[in-house]
Amino acid sequence: MLNGGGLIPLFTELRPALSRFLQTRGASPDEAEDILQDVYIKLLAERPGPVAQPRAYLYKMANNHFLLHRRTAGRRERREEDWAGVHGGSGEIDDQPSVETELIAREQLAILQRILDGLPERTRIIFRRFRIDGEPQRVIAGELGISISAVEKHLARAYQAIAAAKLRLNEDHADRRSLTGERGRHAS
């Protein structure tokens, strides 16, 4: 029996195997990494109770997020096709994001950059090399002269900071939504 907090180190240990698992299910490497990031953030945010079979739990969680990711992508594609059909489109959809989407993405990127800038230098370097440059943890550990476990702890610190910021953003968004009705009108 493993408590919810104990799932984080196990998840970190299993992350490469979970990525391979998702890729055998049809996810691209980038898609697998995005799914695993969502799983990690959910583990941090929800801290599940005691788990009898933690490995099976993590694989099931990864699979459920994979299925959700695919369903969401399928719905988005059908919605875009339907919209194009109704509006006389040629079926080709403009991949350019809207101005609003682009502004929101820039704002979120700036927030993420501030969070990363606030991390200790070594944590920033490890996060960048692993998450952005795609270097394996063992290579990073060897070049920095630290253990793989230390690399994982630095990554966990970065992921926790990002997860906390994401939760704050989601709470802020929920607070703004509570001031208005479901359709964006002011509540009476």
Side-chain angles (χ1 to χ4, degrees):
M1 190 80 59
L2 191 63
N3 69 11
L7 287 172
I8 303 290
L10 180 61
F11 174 80
T12 303
E13 176 187 328
L14 290 175
R15 194 176 185 116
L18 289 168
S19 180
R20 287 189 302 275
F21 167 72
L22 291 170
Q23 289 176 48
T24 62
R25 303 266 301 139
S28 71
D30 288 340
E31 183 181 19
E33 191 57 38
D34 288 345
I35 292 167
L36 291 176
Q37 185 65 28
D38 289 344
V39 169
Y40 185 79
I41 289 172
K42 187 168 185 169
L43 285 171
L44 284 174
E46 294 185 1
R47 298 280 184 180
V51 177
Q53 297 179 339
R55 286 180 182 271
Y57 180 83
L58 291 173
Y59 273 90
K60 183 69 172 172
M61 213 174 156
N63 188 56
N64 287 346
H65 276 267
F66 169 75
L67 294 173
L68 177 64
H69 191 265
R70 286 294 167 99
R71 275 195 303 270
T72 302
R75 285 186 192 129
R76 183 181 317 112
E77 189 175 309
R78 283 190 301 279
R79 200 172 38 247
E80 289 172 354
E81 288 171 358
D82 290 346
W83 186 89
V86 168
H87 292 86
S90 63
E92 292 182 26
I93 297 172
D94 185 7
D95 288 337
Q96 289 292 95
S98 69
V99 173
E100 179 184 18
T101 301
E102 203 170 304
L103 287 173
I104 291 169
R106 283 186 193 156
E107 180 181 319
Q108 290 174 341
L109 185 60
I111 291 168
L112 177 60
Q113 188 62 55
R114 282 194 302 271
I115 291 165
L116 294 176
D117 289 345
L119 294 173
E121 183 179 4
R122 183 168 264 193
T123 302
R124 262 194 333 265
I125 290 168
I126 291 171
F127 178 81
R128 178 171 296 280
R129 288 180 66 182
F130 177 72
R131 190 75 174 124
I132 297 171
D133 300 337
E135 292 183 38
Q137 291 180 13
R138 63 179 156 56
V139 171
I140 297 168
E143 290 180 5
L144 294 177
I146 60 176
S147 68
I148 292 176
S149 175
V151 169
E152 291 170 348
K153 287 176 185 171
H154 282 282
L155 289 172
R157 184 181 298 149
Y159 290 141
Q160 285 175 327
I162 293 167
K166 184 174 181 182
L167 287 174
R168 282 193 307 272
L169 285 172
N170 289 344
E171 288 170 1
D172 288 348
H173 183 68
D175 288 344
R176 274 186 256 127
R177 200 172 350 148
S178 68
L179 297 175
T180 60
E182 282 298 311
R183 298 175 194 212
R185 296 185 183 126
H186 293 307
S188 354

